[in-house]
Amino acid sequence: MDCKNCELKVRQFYCADCLRRHLRDFRRKIQHSATERDEQVAKAARALGTVEESRKRRAELAESQNRVEEVTVALAKLRKDNDKARERLRFLRESLATRRRNLSAARLIPVTAVDHLISRESQELSSLSDTLARARSGLVQELVEVFHVVEVGGRPPIGGKAGTKGEWTIGDLVLPVPGDIRRYPPDHINAVITHIIHFLGLLTFYLGIKLPFEVTWSGKKLGVGQPWIGAGRGTDHGGWARWSSKQPLHLSSVPSTTSNPTTSAPPISASMSESYVDAAESSQSSFTTAFAMLLYNVCYLAYTQSVDVPLSQAGDVLSNLWAVCCSGDLGRRSHETHPLLPPPTPPNFALDFAQLLQAMSAKPVHRQRAKMHRASTDGPRPVHKPQVIPEEEEGWDLVEDVDEGGFG
């Protein structure tokens, strides 16, 4: 209703009877709606109960289906395993039947027939070994001709006079004994050692021999870069297996510059043999060790082909290789074919690497003193050509471990 003074809407006022009537009507309406609400809630509850039961049934059905699938997969696997077991059982039965038949047939064969069969197989194996040995011998002879391994100079014993040794060459290059290596330029020594490495590699490949020390190249490929040598896998007999670190099997071609700075150094062309006698002590020792490894390989190869090389002749590399190539048992024993050789090195191989290295490190005092005396009295000496160097004494003098030029 509107106020007469301000004409604003104000709340209506009811009398008590009107309020009671309104409350009664409101309660009646609410009671009717509550009844309908309860009916709807009951219907929804009944519907939801039906849905929950359906969901439970579907879940139980899905779980049953998963179990059935698992059982089916397990059954298929079990059937597959059973088939494999049946196949293996059938194979074992066939093998057993075959063995029984062979055993019955063997019992019927006389002992003399069995001995005859064994003898025939042994003869065939021996014939095959002879064929392989002849084939290997032919390859080795061709290899010697290709690399032209020969002895030049020297004289055989005539009329009771002792003969003299000549110089062994490979590829027309002289390989000096260890005591004379310092008298040759490093390029010459490197070329000879490279020829020997290739020759030895092909020779062991043809003969099927595994050497104690393995040669690798700095270029990661055969013949590329500079050669290095170190022990491979093998037994500890001989004391060589612990030398697994690679050693340089080459010399440095850089001449020495360690002379007195107050005096002028002699020209290289005037003292070639003296210009390669000053290098680092560690480099010299490394090359000495590497060269001893090469000598040990040659000695072991000679042992496998029934060639005896004493310690005093271990430095004659080309002579020892020639003896190997001329051995009557060449190619009959191998690490790759029958009869098999034991891995390097067996106990009956008597040469010890420490002894060989000690012999290589022996210091030739008499030659060093003579050389120093000639250098102080005669001045620079002329260049010595490798082809005309005479042998100074019988046997061989070994490279020392001190700084002797160019041994890089």
Side-chain angles (χ1 to χ4, degrees):
M1 55 182 293
D2 298 335
C3 179
K4 295 181 180 180
N5 296 324
C6 60
E7 297 181 357
L8 296 175
K9 296 290 183 179
V10 294
R11 186 174 180 181
Q12 295 182 359
F13 296 96
Y14 296 91
C15 63
D17 294 335
C18 292
L19 288 175
R20 282 194 293 270
R21 187 172 60 252
H22 284 303
L23 288 175
R24 184 177 64 250
D25 295 339
F26 185 70
R27 289 192 186 98
R28 188 181 301 115
K29 291 179 181 179
I30 290 176
Q31 185 177 4
H32 179 72
S33 300
T35 304
E36 291 180 355
R37 182 197 63 192
D38 294 340
E39 291 178 355
Q40 295 296 330
V41 169
K43 290 181 181 179
R46 289 193 297 271
L48 288 176
T50 305
V51 172
E52 187 68 22
E53 293 178 357
S54 299
R55 291 177 63 185
K56 288 181 179 180
R57 287 195 297 270
R58 287 196 296 270
E60 292 175 355
L61 179 61
E63 184 178 1
S64 300
Q65 289 178 351
N66 292 335
R67 291 180 180 178
V68 170
E69 291 178 358
E70 291 177 358
V71 172
T72 303
V73 172
L75 181 60
K77 183 179 179 182
L78 183 59
R79 287 177 178 175
K80 188 175 181 180
D81 294 340
N82 290 339
D83 293 338
K84 290 183 178 179
R86 291 191 187 97
E87 184 67 21
R88 184 172 180 274
L89 181 60
R90 184 184 62 81
F91 175 75
L92 291 176
R93 286 176 177 174
E94 293 178 355
S95 300
L96 181 59
T98 303
R99 291 180 180 180
R100 286 176 177 174
R101 289 194 299 268
N102 294 337
L103 182 59
S104 300
R107 289 175 179 174
L108 297 176
I109 298 176
V111 178
T112 55
V114 176
D115 294 339
H116 177 71
L117 291 176
I118 295 176
S119 177
R120 186 178 64 181
E121 294 296 332
S122 300
Q123 291 178 359
E124 291 180 359
L125 182 60
S126 177
S127 177
L128 179 60
S129 299
D130 293 339
T131 303
L132 289 175
R134 287 194 298 270
R136 288 170 174 168
S137 179
L139 291 173
V140 169
Q141 297 305 322
E142 293 181 359
L143 183 65
V144 171
E145 294 180 1
V146 169
F147 280 85
H148 194 56
V149 180
V150 295
E151 182 182 12
V152 295
R155 178 179 57 78
I158 301 176
K161 296 182 179 180
T164 58
K165 294 182 179 180
E167 291 180 328
W168 285 91
T169 63
I170 179 171
D172 296 330
L173 296 177
V174 176
L175 176 65
V177 293
D180 289 336
I181 286 181
R182 67 177 61 86
R183 302 174 60 189
Y184 288 75
D187 291 340
H188 176 91
I189 301 300
N190 290 337
V192 176
I193 290 179
T194 301
H195 286 335
I196 293 176
I197 291 174
H198 287 299
F199 181 84
L200 193 59
L202 291 174
L203 183 60
T204 54
F205 174 73
Y206 292 155
L207 298 179
I209 300 297
K210 176 178 175 57
L211 297 177
F213 295 98
E214 299 176 353
V215 177
T216 57
W217 297 83
S218 59
K220 307 300 182 182
K221 293 183 179 180
L222 180 63
V224 179
Q226 295 175 331
W228 294 71
I229 189 171
R233 294 183 179 180
T235 60
D236 192 41
H237 180 76
W240 58 271
R242 65 186 182 89
W243 296 84
S244 58
S245 60
K246 299 295 182 180
Q247 303 295 332
L249 193 55
H250 56 273
L251 301 178
S252 173
S253 59
V254 180
S256 172
T257 57
T258 59
S259 59
N260 190 349
T262 59
T263 59
S264 59
I268 295 179
S269 59
S271 59
M272 180 67 70
S273 61
E274 299 295 336
S275 62
Y276 296 101
V277 293
D278 294 311
E281 182 177 358
S282 60
S283 300
Q284 164 65 21
S285 178
S286 299
F287 174 75
T288 302
T289 304
F291 196 70
M293 293 177 180
L294 181 64
L295 298 183
Y296 195 82
N297 276 351
V298 174
C299 293
Y300 175 71
L301 176 62
Y303 160 79
T304 61
Q305 306 305 310
S306 303
V307 177
D308 184 23
V309 178
L311 180 62
S312 60
Q313 298 179 6
D316 299 331
V317 179
L318 295 180
S319 177
N320 296 334
L321 289 176
W322 175 266
V324 170
C325 297
C326 297
S327 173
D329 293 334
L330 182 66
R332 296 188 178 277
R333 302 174 63 197
S334 171
H335 287 111
E336 298 178 356
T337 57
H338 185 81
L340 293 176
L341 284 173
T345 55
N348 51 354
F349 180 59
L351 183 60
D352 187 82
F353 180 72
Q355 296 178 355
L356 180 60
L357 183 59
Q358 183 179 6
M360 283 286 298
S361 303
K363 186 175 181 180
V365 180
H366 62 283
R367 287 194 176 185
Q368 188 179 19
R369 290 179 178 176
K371 178 180 62 178
M372 295 175 61
H373 178 70
R374 288 194 302 267
S376 61
T377 56
D378 300 338
R381 292 179 297 166
V383 178
H384 291 276
K385 296 183 179 179
Q387 289 77 6
V388 296
I389 295 177
E391 186 171 357
E392 296 186 10
E393 59 184 1
E394 293 294 326
W396 49 282
D397 225 351
L398 296 170
V399 179
E400 57 186 331
D401 259 348
V402 295
D403 196 358
E404 293 286 330
F407 292 71

